[in-house]
Amino acid sequence: MKTARFLANPLLTPLDLALVSSFVRNGQLVGIPTETVYGLAADVYQPDAIQKIFTIKGRPADNPLIVHISHLNQLNRLTESPHPLLMRLAEQFWPGPLTLIFFRKPEIDSIVSAGLSTIAVRMPSHPCALQIIDELKTPLAAPSANRSGYPSPTTADHVLSDFDGQISAVVDGGPCLEGIESTVVGFVENQLTLFRPGAIHREAIEDVLHTRLFDPQMKNRPISPGMKYRHYAPRAKVILVEDENDFPKKIENASSYIPKDLNAQNLYSHLRKADQLGYLEVIILLTDSIRSNEALMNRLTRASEV
Ligand code: TXA
Ligand code: MG
């Protein structure tokens, strides 16, 4: 299969929009830009297409997908009687990088949620993602458009480097603004819980709710199925250096890649570049600005755990 590339600047032309939409309607997969990372999108109502996502990503069957909507009124196709606190967060942060966990309506095939009774939903803010969902008038299931376990894609080239020839199209909407995935929040036994730290900081959510978010790590059990798997890691070994004084000793190796000015926006580009250039290890000094970013620290820790 030839993977077609379409340019969105920031929107698709009407002709390209019609083509991209026809792929999705025909049960094919398309890489789409969002403000966080690129997504590998399929029509939420086509289980065979959803199955293809799991297959080409090599995604474990028990890791559920996020469903993307373009209007709040699409939410009632996915869930019933959403909890008022979740709606409060939706009103505050959508469109934007916040994913909320609701109860799943039975008419949404359980493959989307990997068999769970819940469903993850977000409204992205990238104009082209909204444009495509609007045109199709159907929510899109879309995990990050990378091979399972490896760094997420923040450019159309990243998507092609993982899936060229395996998907019908990729829409190039430029580099992702946030560069790191959405924050995932939901209820666990009546407690609002941070399932995955992400582009929206915990404090911003806590400020809106006037309450703390429960932290699953404290109980040491992965409640978001995706959290238990190898994640975000390049082939090169990721080494985190805590103390600046340890740093020079470790960098004398020509096979070491040392990112300059690492931040949430460029993390995945750096990890991918290290592999592309054949480095064996990536050495990262944990500066105060890195340490103070919970989502960035989460991805770095996970990437270094392999
Ligand atoms: O920013 C993002 O969220 C990107 C863009 C494309 O929207 N998507 C993304 O999807 O990061 P993915 O599949 O790479 O990560 C989805 C995360 C996983 O950790 C998964 O376990 C969790 O969301 N998740 C999905 N549905 C869930 C559910 N029903 N309950 C708990 N966690 C869920
Ligand atoms: Mg992912």
Side-chain angles (χ1 to χ4, degrees):
M1 177 196 300
K2 177 103 182 68
T3 301
R5 185 181 184 127
F6 297 92
L7 205 63
N9 189 23
L11 296 177
L12 288 164
T13 64
L15 183 62
D16 287 353
L17 178 62
L19 281 166
V20 168
S21 304
S22 73
F23 289 136
V24 178
R25 258 185 228 111
N26 290 331
Q28 295 164 22
L29 306 185
V30 171
I32 62 166
T34 85
E35 74 279 23
T36 55
V37 300
Y38 275 72
L40 186 59
D43 179 354
V44 76
Y45 292 108
Q46 298 193 44
D48 290 350
I50 309 280
Q51 180 54 53
K52 273 190 224 162
I53 293 180
F54 282 90
T55 305
I56 75 165
K57 270 184 69 84
R59 186 177 180 95
D62 65 352
N63 193 2
L65 308 180
I66 296 174
V67 181
H68 298 70
I69 60 175
S70 60
H71 289 283
L72 215 46
N73 61 18
Q74 293 161 357
L75 189 60
N76 57 32
R77 299 170 67 179
L78 307 170
T79 187
E80 236 158 352
S81 326
H83 193 287
L85 282 183
L86 295 178
M87 290 315 292
R88 189 82 207 289
L89 294 178
E91 277 155 26
Q92 186 74 30
F93 293 106
W94 285 356
L98 178 67
T99 296
L100 299 168
I101 310 291
F102 300 94
F103 285 110
R104 174 174 53 87
K105 268 194 173 174
E107 57 256 46
I108 303 299
D109 197 291
S110 69
I111 189 176
V112 176
S113 295
L116 295 179
S117 58
T118 51
I119 187 162
V121 184
R122 88 176 187 96
M123 188 191 296
S125 64
H126 196 294
C128 181
L130 295 170
Q131 181 192 29
I132 295 167
I133 302 167
D134 271 348
E135 170 73 14
L136 284 161
K137 298 184 179 60
T138 183
L140 294 180
S144 51
N146 54 292
R147 285 178 302 125
S148 195
Y150 291 91
S152 299
T154 55
T155 66
D157 282 341
H158 292 166
V159 178
L160 287 174
S161 97
D162 284 15
F163 296 123
D164 196 12
Q166 291 184 283
I167 60 179
S168 296
V170 64
V171 177
D172 183 351
C176 299
L177 201 69
E178 302 284 356
I180 206 155
E181 295 85 347
S182 63
T183 308
V184 182
V185 170
F187 277 96
V188 177
E189 295 156 9
N190 294 323
Q191 270 180 310
L192 258 184
T193 301
L194 183 65
F195 282 38
R196 176 178 73 179
I200 292 186
H201 294 178
R202 165 206 295 277
E203 295 76 19
I205 296 167
E206 291 177 338
D207 282 354
V208 170
L209 297 172
H210 303 294
T211 171
R212 297 266 88 100
L213 284 174
F214 181 68
D215 199 337
Q217 266 82 343
M218 292 188 327
K219 276 200 174 171
N220 206 15
R221 51 169 192 179
I223 40 137
S224 210
M227 298 293 276
K228 67 176 189 251
Y229 293 109
R230 173 191 199 271
H231 245 89
Y232 317 113
R235 286 189 301 277
K237 187 173 162 51
V238 175
I239 299 168
L240 306 181
V241 180
E242 304 265 348
D243 184 347
E244 207 169 344
N245 298 321
D246 292 340
F247 203 58
K249 283 180 250 156
K250 298 198 179 177
I251 63 171
E252 284 154 19
N253 197 335
S255 61
S256 308
Y257 178 85
I258 299 149
K260 294 266 142 35
D261 303 323
L262 186 95
N263 58 35
Q265 282 76 26
N266 63 30
L267 166 70
Y268 293 127
S269 278
H270 275 305
L271 297 183
R272 283 173 171 267
K273 198 164 156 199
D275 276 355
Q276 215 185 350
L277 299 176
Y279 287 97
L280 300 181
E281 53 189 37
V282 184
I283 302 182
I284 296 161
L285 174 65
L286 299 178
T287 60
D288 289 346
S289 94
I290 293 176
R291 277 177 211 272
S292 65
N293 186 326
E294 186 180 10
L296 181 54
M297 276 305 289
N298 169 269
R299 305 305 189 268
L300 284 172
T301 309
R302 302 290 307 282
S304 68
E305 268 166 2
V306 195

